[in-house]
Structure formats: C-alpha cells, structure tokens
Amino acid sequence: MIEKLKAKFDGQFRMSEPLWTEIKANAKEIFLEKNEALVPYSSLKKAAYMIVQGSLKQSIIDSSGEKTTTWFFFEHIFDVAVCLDSYILQEHTKYEITALEKSWVYQIRKDKVDDWCQRFPEFNTFYREDILNSFFLATEIKNHMASHTPAEFVHYLQKYYPEIIAKVPSKYLAEFMGITAEWLSKIKKTISKE
C-alpha cells in the first residue's frame, strides 16, 4: 500500500532511494471512516497528512459555538492536510480535520519533514514548491469567493475545481461560502438549467 504514496511523490519530483527509505520508515498509515476526526479540536498535531485516497474538511468553532467549514483537502488537489497553528506555531489547534468520506492518509511528523528538507535537496525543492502552489491556489479560490456572487463562485468551482463540487456535501460547501444550504441548492438548480 505504501507504493501509492510513492506514486504520489514520483508524480511530483524525482526521489532518491535513501529518501524513499526514510519516508517508508516514518510515514504512518491512517484509515478514516466518514466523519471521523483526523485532527481533533485543541489537539497538538505537529504533523502533515498526505491524502492517498478520499477527502477531508477543516472546520473551526465560530463565535456562536457552531462548527464552520473553512477548507477542504482531496487526493488530487490540496492533498496535504495540516493545521498550521499546530504544525508551524506548535500550539494546540483551533481547527478540526475530519473525513468527508472513507479516506486513507499518511502522517509525516514535522521534525522528519524539516530533517529531509535539510538533507535532501530534491525534497526541499518539492516541499517549497508544493507549499507555494497550494497557498497560491487557496488564495485564488478564497479571493474569487470574496469578490464574486455566490452563483459566480459556484460557476468558477465547476469550471476549475469540479472535485470540490463533486465531493463536498452542499452543507459544508455552503458553510464555507457563508450562505445557507438552501441558497446553494437554488444556485445549483439554476446553473443546471442553463
């Protein structure tokens, strides 16, 4: 099964055998059921999670005490899930990451990632480029959402990120967009008639 993780890496950079040996020895395989928490609220998780199969959502508890969806992770796009407050700041996270469906991930601890970045130039390049690319795309999506109507944003997702529309239940996509699930349903119906 670890070969699927290798295939993900191989699709993005040329990996040396010594690096792959270390990744195999340190990647912890985790299987999640639908709605199971990968990272619970208030936990301290100094790790990143490579998604091999499935999809995840990140949420925060809003000012009214309700969970609000803030982001999504998939096996093909945004395929590294992490709570940045724990990962970078080493604080107990204010987020939760849960499975939207049965999912399969590999956990890799931050200290190992940092070590590999220092010792393996190919991993350092991949890591920096992957982070920058994901940050750029996430910023583009959030900026598009902020600067367009909900209907325009749904059109945008359908055109450029159909995996989000296909895999994310309307309830969570509506939370992410800051609208009701009913409003999102009306938008989707209108778009389907066009």
Side-chain angles (χ1 to χ4, degrees):
M1 290 188 158
I2 192 99
E3 292 307 314
K4 284 201 173 185
L5 180 62
K6 186 173 191 309
K8 283 187 79 67
F9 281 124
D10 284 344
Q12 298 180 51
F13 73 104
R14 188 173 172 91
M15 185 171 19
S16 67
E17 198 55 42
L19 173 58
W20 176 235
T21 299
E22 291 208 24
I23 289 173
K24 282 192 298 187
N26 290 284
K28 178 184 174 188
E29 190 174 51
I30 300 172
F31 292 96
L32 299 162
E33 293 296 324
K34 182 178 180 179
N35 299 321
E36 184 177 353
L38 173 64
V39 178
Y41 286 110
S42 298
S43 61
L44 184 60
K45 296 284 187 177
K46 295 181 265 187
Y49 303 89
M50 283 285 297
I51 303 167
V52 175
Q53 185 177 322
S55 55
L56 311 170
K57 76 174 180 80
Q58 184 178 57
S59 57
I60 193 168
I61 296 178
D62 65 22
S63 58
S64 67
E66 297 293 319
K67 289 182 184 180
T68 300
T69 302
T70 58
W71 196 243
F72 307 100
F73 307 96
F74 306 94
E75 61 194 81
H76 301 296
I77 56 169
F78 309 111
D79 61 350
V80 178
V82 63
C83 290
L84 291 175
D85 50 359
S86 273
Y87 189 79
I88 294 174
L89 303 176
Q90 300 181 12
E91 297 176 349
H92 290 271
T93 187
K94 56 186 161 289
Y95 299 97
E96 176 182 67
I97 297 176
T98 56
L100 288 171
E101 60 186 323
K102 282 189 173 188
S103 298
W104 168 22
V105 304
Y106 279 95
Q107 174 185 289
I108 302 175
R109 294 187 344 250
K110 184 181 186 301
D111 62 328
K112 291 297 177 186
V113 171
D114 292 343
D115 177 51
W116 299 336
C117 282
Q118 288 183 5
R119 294 191 298 119
F120 299 100
E122 73 271 25
F123 188 82
N124 185 42
T125 300
F126 155 74
Y127 182 70
R128 284 184 297 111
E129 289 177 359
D130 191 60
I131 287 173
L132 289 173
N133 186 50
S134 292
F135 180 74
F136 172 77
L137 293 178
T139 301
E140 285 289 302
I141 289 171
K142 289 181 178 184
N143 288 345
H144 205 92
M145 183 174 67
S147 62
H148 291 79
T149 67
E152 290 169 337
F153 181 64
V154 172
H155 271 287
Y156 168 78
L157 290 180
Q158 284 181 327
K159 183 174 181 179
Y160 296 103
Y161 300 97
E163 191 165 9
I164 293 175
I165 296 292
K167 286 198 164 198
V168 176
S170 291
K171 172 187 176 190
Y172 302 127
L173 184 55
E175 281 179 13
F176 175 69
M177 294 173 62
I179 63 175
T180 65
E182 293 76 21
W183 188 4
L184 179 59
S185 178
K186 286 179 186 175
I187 291 169
K188 285 181 172 182
K189 283 178 186 172
T190 301
I191 290 172
S192 70
K193 290 177 185 175
E194 293 175 356

Short mmCIF file of all heavy atoms in Angstrom, two decimals, residues 3 8 20 33 43 47 55 66 77 92-95 103-104 106 114 120 124 127 135 155 160 180 187:
data_model
loop_
_atom_site.label_atom_id
_atom_site.label_comp_id
_atom_site.label_asym_id
_atom_site.label_seq_id
_atom_site.Cartn_x
_atom_site.Cartn_y
_atom_site.Cartn_z
N GLU A 3 3.21 1.88 -1.73
CA GLU A 3 3.58 2.20 -3.10
C GLU A 3 2.69 3.30 -3.68
O GLU A 3 3.11 4.05 -4.55
CB GLU A 3 3.54 0.96 -3.98
CG GLU A 3 4.63 -0.06 -3.64
CD GLU A 3 6.04 0.54 -3.62
OE1 GLU A 3 6.39 1.27 -4.55
OE2 GLU A 3 6.78 0.25 -2.66
N LYS A 8 2.49 9.00 -5.61
CA LYS A 8 2.15 10.42 -5.47
C LYS A 8 3.40 11.27 -5.51
O LYS A 8 3.44 12.30 -6.18
CB LYS A 8 1.40 10.65 -4.15
CG LYS A 8 -0.05 10.23 -4.17
CD LYS A 8 -0.78 10.62 -2.92
CE LYS A 8 -1.19 12.05 -2.89
NZ LYS A 8 -2.20 12.44 -3.86
N TRP A 20 13.48 7.78 -0.07
CA TRP A 20 12.31 6.89 -0.05
C TRP A 20 12.40 5.90 1.11
O TRP A 20 11.40 5.61 1.77
CB TRP A 20 12.16 6.17 -1.38
CG TRP A 20 11.03 5.18 -1.37
CD1 TRP A 20 11.09 3.87 -1.67
CD2 TRP A 20 9.66 5.45 -1.03
NE1 TRP A 20 9.85 3.27 -1.53
CE2 TRP A 20 8.95 4.22 -1.15
CE3 TRP A 20 8.96 6.58 -0.64
CZ2 TRP A 20 7.59 4.12 -0.88
CZ3 TRP A 20 7.59 6.47 -0.37
CH2 TRP A 20 6.92 5.25 -0.50
N GLU A 33 -12.87 6.57 8.74
CA GLU A 33 -14.25 6.39 8.31
C GLU A 33 -14.86 7.77 8.06
O GLU A 33 -14.36 8.79 8.54
CB GLU A 33 -15.06 5.66 9.40
CG GLU A 33 -14.63 4.23 9.64
CD GLU A 33 -14.85 3.33 8.43
OE1 GLU A 33 -15.86 3.52 7.71
OE2 GLU A 33 -14.00 2.45 8.20
N SER A 43 -6.14 19.76 19.83
CA SER A 43 -5.02 18.81 19.90
C SER A 43 -3.75 19.51 19.43
O SER A 43 -3.78 20.59 18.84
CB SER A 43 -5.31 17.58 19.05
OG SER A 43 -5.49 17.93 17.70
N ALA A 47 2.26 17.46 12.60
CA ALA A 47 2.39 16.50 11.50
C ALA A 47 1.60 17.00 10.30
O ALA A 47 0.67 17.79 10.44
CB ALA A 47 1.89 15.13 11.93
N SER A 55 -11.26 12.39 0.90
CA SER A 55 -11.34 13.84 1.04
C SER A 55 -11.62 14.20 2.50
O SER A 55 -12.22 13.42 3.24
CB SER A 55 -12.43 14.41 0.13
OG SER A 55 -13.68 13.79 0.38
N GLU A 66 -20.71 27.14 17.01
CA GLU A 66 -21.00 26.17 15.97
C GLU A 66 -19.75 25.90 15.13
O GLU A 66 -18.90 26.77 14.96
CB GLU A 66 -22.11 26.69 15.04
CG GLU A 66 -23.44 26.90 15.74
CD GLU A 66 -24.08 25.62 16.21
OE1 GLU A 66 -24.04 24.62 15.47
OE2 GLU A 66 -24.60 25.60 17.35
N ILE A 77 -6.02 17.41 -5.43
CA ILE A 77 -5.68 18.82 -5.22
C ILE A 77 -5.71 19.08 -3.72
O ILE A 77 -6.49 18.47 -3.00
CB ILE A 77 -6.63 19.79 -5.95
CG1 ILE A 77 -8.10 19.54 -5.55
CG2 ILE A 77 -6.45 19.72 -7.45
CD1 ILE A 77 -9.05 20.62 -6.01
N HIS A 92 -1.78 24.32 20.45
CA HIS A 92 -2.97 23.48 20.34
C HIS A 92 -3.88 24.11 19.28
O HIS A 92 -4.14 25.31 19.31
CB HIS A 92 -3.68 23.36 21.69
CG HIS A 92 -2.90 22.54 22.66
ND1 HIS A 92 -3.06 21.18 22.76
CD2 HIS A 92 -1.94 22.89 23.55
CE1 HIS A 92 -2.22 20.72 23.69
NE2 HIS A 92 -1.53 21.73 24.17
N THR A 93 -4.35 23.28 18.37
CA THR A 93 -5.08 23.81 17.21
C THR A 93 -6.48 24.28 17.55
O THR A 93 -7.15 23.72 18.42
CB THR A 93 -5.12 22.78 16.07
OG1 THR A 93 -5.68 23.40 14.93
CG2 THR A 93 -5.92 21.54 16.45
N LYS A 94 -6.91 25.31 16.85
CA LYS A 94 -8.28 25.78 16.96
C LYS A 94 -9.14 25.18 15.85
O LYS A 94 -10.29 25.52 15.68
CB LYS A 94 -8.35 27.30 16.96
CG LYS A 94 -7.72 28.00 15.79
CD LYS A 94 -7.73 29.50 16.01
CE LYS A 94 -6.76 30.24 15.14
NZ LYS A 94 -5.36 30.05 15.47
N TYR A 95 -8.55 24.27 15.07
CA TYR A 95 -9.24 23.64 13.95
C TYR A 95 -9.50 22.16 14.22
O TYR A 95 -8.93 21.57 15.14
CB TYR A 95 -8.41 23.77 12.67
CG TYR A 95 -8.17 25.19 12.27
CD1 TYR A 95 -6.98 25.85 12.62
CD2 TYR A 95 -9.13 25.91 11.56
CE1 TYR A 95 -6.77 27.16 12.28
CE2 TYR A 95 -8.92 27.23 11.21
CZ TYR A 95 -7.74 27.85 11.57
OH TYR A 95 -7.54 29.16 11.23
N SER A 103 -11.38 7.56 3.98
CA SER A 103 -10.14 8.17 3.47
C SER A 103 -8.93 7.43 3.99
O SER A 103 -8.97 6.78 5.04
CB SER A 103 -10.07 9.64 3.88
OG SER A 103 -11.14 10.37 3.32
N TRP A 104 -7.84 7.60 3.25
CA TRP A 104 -6.58 6.93 3.57
C TRP A 104 -5.48 7.98 3.46
O TRP A 104 -5.32 8.61 2.42
CB TRP A 104 -6.41 5.79 2.58
CG TRP A 104 -5.09 5.12 2.51
CD1 TRP A 104 -4.11 5.08 3.45
CD2 TRP A 104 -4.61 4.35 1.41
NE1 TRP A 104 -3.05 4.33 3.01
CE2 TRP A 104 -3.34 3.87 1.75
CE3 TRP A 104 -5.14 4.02 0.17
CZ2 TRP A 104 -2.58 3.09 0.90
CZ3 TRP A 104 -4.39 3.23 -0.68
CH2 TRP A 104 -3.13 2.76 -0.31
N TYR A 106 -1.35 9.32 4.95
CA TYR A 106 -0.08 9.00 5.61
C TYR A 106 0.33 10.21 6.44
O TYR A 106 0.41 11.32 5.93
CB TYR A 106 1.01 8.66 4.60
CG TYR A 106 0.94 7.24 4.11
CD1 TYR A 106 0.27 6.93 2.94
CD2 TYR A 106 1.51 6.21 4.84
CE1 TYR A 106 0.18 5.61 2.50
CE2 TYR A 106 1.43 4.90 4.41
CZ TYR A 106 0.77 4.61 3.24
OH TYR A 106 0.69 3.30 2.82
N ASP A 114 11.33 18.55 8.28
CA ASP A 114 12.41 19.54 8.43
C ASP A 114 13.78 18.89 8.18
O ASP A 114 14.63 19.47 7.50
CB ASP A 114 12.38 20.17 9.82
CG ASP A 114 11.17 21.06 10.04
OD1 ASP A 114 10.51 21.45 9.06
OD2 ASP A 114 10.88 21.36 11.22
N PHE A 120 18.01 16.45 1.88
CA PHE A 120 17.68 16.00 0.53
C PHE A 120 17.20 17.19 -0.30
O PHE A 120 16.04 17.61 -0.17
CB PHE A 120 16.60 14.92 0.57
CG PHE A 120 17.00 13.68 1.32
CD1 PHE A 120 16.58 13.48 2.63
CD2 PHE A 120 17.80 12.72 0.71
CE1 PHE A 120 16.96 12.34 3.33
CE2 PHE A 120 18.17 11.57 1.40
CZ PHE A 120 17.76 11.38 2.72
N ASN A 124 13.49 19.25 -0.49
CA ASN A 124 13.37 20.66 -0.13
C ASN A 124 12.70 21.45 -1.26
O ASN A 124 11.79 22.25 -1.01
CB ASN A 124 14.75 21.24 0.19
CG ASN A 124 14.67 22.67 0.67
OD1 ASN A 124 13.81 23.01 1.47
ND2 ASN A 124 15.56 23.50 0.19
N TYR A 127 9.00 20.41 -1.45
CA TYR A 127 8.27 20.93 -0.29
C TYR A 127 7.95 22.41 -0.47
O TYR A 127 6.81 22.84 -0.32
CB TYR A 127 9.12 20.69 0.96
CG TYR A 127 8.50 21.13 2.26
CD1 TYR A 127 7.41 20.47 2.81
CD2 TYR A 127 9.04 22.21 2.97
CE1 TYR A 127 6.86 20.86 4.02
CE2 TYR A 127 8.50 22.60 4.18
CZ TYR A 127 7.41 21.93 4.71
OH TYR A 127 6.87 22.32 5.90
N PHE A 135 -0.68 27.34 -1.50
CA PHE A 135 -1.04 28.63 -0.94
C PHE A 135 -1.60 29.55 -2.02
O PHE A 135 -2.61 30.22 -1.82
CB PHE A 135 0.19 29.28 -0.28
CG PHE A 135 -0.10 30.62 0.33
CD1 PHE A 135 -0.81 30.73 1.51
CD2 PHE A 135 0.34 31.78 -0.29
CE1 PHE A 135 -1.09 31.97 2.07
CE2 PHE A 135 0.06 33.03 0.25
CZ PHE A 135 -0.65 33.12 1.43
N HIS A 155 -20.05 28.70 -10.34
CA HIS A 155 -19.63 28.52 -11.74
C HIS A 155 -18.11 28.34 -11.81
O HIS A 155 -17.61 27.47 -12.52
CB HIS A 155 -20.01 29.74 -12.59
CG HIS A 155 -21.36 29.67 -13.19
ND1 HIS A 155 -21.67 28.84 -14.25
CD2 HIS A 155 -22.51 30.34 -12.89
CE1 HIS A 155 -22.93 29.00 -14.58
NE2 HIS A 155 -23.47 29.89 -13.76
N TYR A 160 -13.16 25.18 -12.75
CA TYR A 160 -11.75 24.97 -12.42
C TYR A 160 -11.50 23.91 -11.34
O TYR A 160 -10.42 23.34 -11.29
CB TYR A 160 -11.11 26.29 -11.99
CG TYR A 160 -11.10 27.31 -13.09
CD1 TYR A 160 -12.00 28.36 -13.10
CD2 TYR A 160 -10.20 27.20 -14.15
CE1 TYR A 160 -12.00 29.30 -14.13
CE2 TYR A 160 -10.19 28.12 -15.18
CZ TYR A 160 -11.10 29.18 -15.17
OH TYR A 160 -11.10 30.08 -16.19
N THR A 180 -26.60 29.77 3.16
CA THR A 180 -27.35 28.61 3.62
C THR A 180 -27.29 27.50 2.59
O THR A 180 -27.08 27.75 1.39
CB THR A 180 -28.84 28.96 3.88
OG1 THR A 180 -29.44 29.32 2.62
CG2 THR A 180 -28.98 30.10 4.88
N ILE A 187 -28.92 27.83 -6.23
CA ILE A 187 -27.89 28.21 -7.19
C ILE A 187 -27.55 27.02 -8.09
O ILE A 187 -27.49 27.15 -9.32
CB ILE A 187 -26.62 28.71 -6.46
CG1 ILE A 187 -26.88 30.06 -5.78
CG2 ILE A 187 -25.45 28.82 -7.44
CD1 ILE A 187 -25.78 30.50 -4.83
#
